Amino acid sequence: MLQGDQVVEEFDQDDLDDDESFFQDIDMLQSQGINAADLKKLKQAGICTVKGVQMTTRKRLCTIKGISEAKMEKIKEACAKLEEGGFCTALEFADKRKAVFKLSTGSSELDKLVGGGIESMSITEVFGEFRSGKTQLSHTLCVSTQMPGSNGYAGGKVIFLDTENTFRPDRLRDIADRFGLDQSAVLDNVLYARAYTSEHQFELLDFVAAKFHEEPGVFKLLVVDSIMALFRVDFSGRGELADRQQKLAQMLSRLQKISEEFNVAVFITNQMTADPGATMSFQADPKKPVGGHILAHASTTRIALRKGRGELRIAKIYDSPNMPENEATFAITAGGIADGKE
Ligand code: GTP
Ligand code: MG
């Protein structure tokens, strides 16, 4: 399904008319009497759409330079007017959900496991021990996202946030070859940033939101590889755990909002830890993802990876309330993630 000789060009906004109704640019608030200078201040703080304002608390809006409490109330009111209170019928909601798309992982077995692919408007987390394929899967998604698919999916650009310095553009070249895509075009459609601290990682999300807003409907995927690495360095010991979890919660909440605001898929990788308590109690699965309940609740879909023979890897849905606990086998190949031959 994914093979093809298409050459990926720069994605053009004009091809993406459908997305227009999806984005209510913050400039629309001018019709409600909010002046352009104030709207610019919001944009500089990474708030670029009407939805973005509604996703931001009054408290945080007031921390933006030049936004007084009175102004903030006026802005909130203007948004409420445009959104008619935020209610819609289930039928209308179903219509909005039609915009949700799925991205292929490169392995049809793995796609099947997660219900057809990595879904937009939600966070998908993959975790597993070292060399289990998390980074390779992230790289493959950077390319597969650019493939036009069924349901009118046009293919799109990607932002990759790298916290471990393991992003390799040359891997994208190999994967592009496998999908029959032009190497340079593929690389040109992936925006890359390296995060050095957990704070930096959070700040970069303002840039991400601004970029998604600048080219509405063009970006389809945000990768964070890995979500926890910097948090584990920046916060150490029990004493800082509560602080870490609070910051992590803010980060994940922002990611969730970005995925909904701009209709993109958010794909995060996570490390795992051997739980010393679990070994003591002879639990069957002593290894679990780090990040605790905060991460568990933030991720819509959690996939556990483990190593199989040679290039083979086994994926399993972890902790899902509505998906069967099936497994899928895939392979790490020169061309990225693919179906495993057993
Ligand atoms: P950590 O980040 O260390 O926790 O691991 P990870 O889960 O991100 O592992 P990663 O995705 O980096 O997977 C590494 C595995 O991919 C290793 O077993 C490599 O041998 C394999 N791999 C990397 N590049 C290639 C390649 O070009 N061809 C093949 N066949 N395998 C590759
Ligand atoms: Mg990795």
Side-chain angles (χ1 to χ4, degrees), residues 203 206 226 276:
E203 285 157 16
D206 281 349
S226 84

Side-chain angles (χ1 to χ4, degrees), residues 119-318:
E119 213 175 61
S120 71
M121 288 203 213
S122 74
I123 299 177
T124 302
E125 173 195 348
V126 65
F127 68 90
E129 59 182 320
F130 68 101
R131 293 179 57 202
S132 58
K134 306 180 291 290
T135 298
Q136 292 304 314
L137 184 49
S138 304
H139 280 72
T140 307
L141 280 165
C142 284
V143 183
S144 62
T145 298
Q146 301 187 36
M147 293 290 291
S150 49
N151 335 325
Y153 174 72
K157 291 191 189 181
V158 179
I159 293 188
F160 196 109
L161 298 188
D162 183 8
T163 69
E164 299 184 315
N165 198 24
T166 49
F167 179 74
R168 296 291 176 273
D170 281 345
R171 288 295 293 131
L172 296 189
R173 288 183 193 279
D174 294 342
I175 301 169
D177 284 348
R178 166 197 165 196
F179 284 106
L181 298 175
D182 179 75
Q183 292 185 356
S184 304
V186 163
L187 266 62
D188 209 31
N189 286 324
V190 180
L191 264 187
Y192 169 85
R194 167 94 162 92
Y196 292 99
T197 68
S198 55
E199 278 167 11
H200 185 205
Q201 188 178 335
F202 190 71
E203 285 157 16
L204 282 171
L205 294 185
D206 281 349
F207 170 82
V208 169
K211 210 59 207 163
F212 285 174
H213 172 256
E214 208 177 290
E215 298 179 63
V218 170
F219 286 87
K220 301 290 184 189
L221 171 70
L222 169 64
V223 176
V224 186
D225 182 21
S226 84
I227 188 80
M228 287 300 297
L230 296 172
F231 281 98
R232 294 179 89 190
V233 177
D234 296 347
F235 300 87
S236 57
R238 292 245 151 230
E240 291 186 326
L241 191 62
D243 195 18
R244 183 192 89 174
Q245 290 304 86
Q246 194 195 359
K247 298 271 161 50
L248 177 64
Q250 284 166 356
M251 167 101 198
L252 291 164
S253 147
R254 189 79 209 277
L255 285 173
Q256 177 64 40
K257 286 169 183 173
I258 284 176
S259 79
E260 289 179 39
E261 188 177 358
F262 299 102
N263 190 23
V264 295
V266 171
F267 182 80
I268 63 179
T269 71
N270 192 11
Q271 301 158 315
M272 52 198 296
T273 179
D275 179 353
T279 351
M280 302 245 302
S281 62
F282 299 101
Q283 207 169 300
D285 179 20
K287 289 180 179 151
K288 54 180 201 177
V290 297
H293 293 299
I294 302 278
L295 200 47
H297 290 300
S299 311
T300 314
T301 309
R302 312 190 89 188
I303 309 166
L305 298 184
R306 66 173 198 273
K307 284 180 234 176
R309 206 165 24 83
E311 294 184 333
L312 296 181
R313 299 291 183 272
I314 299 118
K316 189 176 180 180
I317 296 289
Y318 188 77

